[in-house]
Amino acid sequence: MLSRILIFLLALTASASAQIPSDWTQPFPPHRVIANVYYVGSKDLASYLITTPQGDILINSSLVSSPDLIKKSVEQLGFKFSDVKILLISHAHYDHCAGSARIKQMTHAKYMVMDADVPVVEDGGKSDFQYGKSADMHFPPTKVDRILHDGDEVRLGGVVLVAHKTPGHTKGCTTWTLTVVDKGKSYNVVIVGSPNVNPGYKLVNNKTYPQIAQDYQQTFRVLNALPCDVFLGAHGGYYDMQAKYARLKDSAENPFIDPAGYKAYVADREQAFLAELHKQENGSK
Ligand SMILES: [Zn+2]
């Protein structure tokens, strides 16, 4: 009897931990990316702190379990978590927004979300076009304080972040841009929301998201047109965060300044989208 319980418990832990890659929960050294932009996420789930004289902006609350890791990273850099005044996300998936309810409680930050992601954020993922019925993808429903629309600006303490709607991956997926000045030079920072077509996504005849293919096409138009010097994204893996961080100490140039890497990434993701669309169009004929 005891061994049967043990086997059951082991199976339970195995299935629970299989959902979440270890890179998503393992700490990573927090670091300055450029100017007032800092990395405060885990090994792969990116969170960014943008500091201003009037309080700070946090992008991505990540998993339900992430707020403590993010808070620790913010404090390791010498900042106060209670200075976070605005909370933003890359998109309404549980690996980027599940910690939002807790971070709002901890900091009293105002939560600002792109219009088409608002219902999903507020119902805890139940209206997600792909994962709505997957309970393991649900997260604590979180009240949104300001609904953003494509091109809206989020302003605090002289910092201006622009919300670019880059839909497809989620209906309100958001790519954030800002301009920073570092050592007297100005740089365009792009934080890519996600251009990825997840396994199982239907690009053709999608009943819960009929315009999904057109939305991805719009996303690639937007991403191709954005000026980018500093390439960042919702996952560190998008921009080789770990390899660039390793070069940070020794290289004279800031490794996060990577316009060519941005262009190559967007081109690669666009090709992957077009290949999948082609495959599905031919398969459905
Ligand atoms: Zn996602």
Side-chain angles (χ1 to χ4, degrees), residues 91 93 95-96 169:
H91 60 265
H93 279 159
D95 50 336
H96 308 292
H169 184 80

Side-chain angles (χ1 to χ4, degrees), residues 105-234:
Q105 275 175 2
M106 292 163 89
T107 64
H108 307 289
K110 293 266 177 284
Y111 194 23
M112 306 183 184
V113 175
M114 184 62 76
D115 42 24
D117 267 358
V118 169
V120 180
V121 159
E122 292 199 329
D123 68 19
K126 292 194 178 70
S127 59
D128 184 276
F129 75 91
Q130 180 77 16
Y131 304 120
K133 291 190 172 71
S134 310
D136 53 346
M137 307 284 230
H138 293 165
F139 48 84
T142 313
K143 173 94 182 69
V144 171
D145 302 296
R146 178 183 163 197
I147 299 171
L148 301 170
H149 307 287
D150 188 21
D152 273 358
E153 292 178 346
V154 170
R155 293 173 171 267
L156 185 70
V159 166
V160 182
L161 276 154
V162 181
H164 303 267
K165 200 174 196 171
T166 48
H169 184 80
T170 66
K171 292 179 179 179
C173 185
T174 308
T175 291
W176 290 100
T177 62
L178 73 153
T179 306
V180 299
V181 176
D182 197 68
K183 300 187 189 104
K185 274 181 78 178
S186 163
Y187 297 92
N188 293 304
V189 180
V190 178
I191 305 172
V192 175
S194 179
N196 294 311
V197 179
N198 279 8
Y201 271 27
K202 280 187 69 172
L203 300 175
V204 176
N205 298 326
N206 188 324
K207 288 196 179 64
T208 49
Y209 192 175
Q211 78 282 17
I212 184 168
Q214 294 96 296
D215 275 6
Y216 271 108
Q217 276 153 354
Q218 182 197 328
T219 286
F220 288 110
R221 273 197 298 277
V222 171
L223 294 181
N224 281 315
L226 284 177
C228 176
D229 303 305
V230 177
F231 169 32
L232 304 172

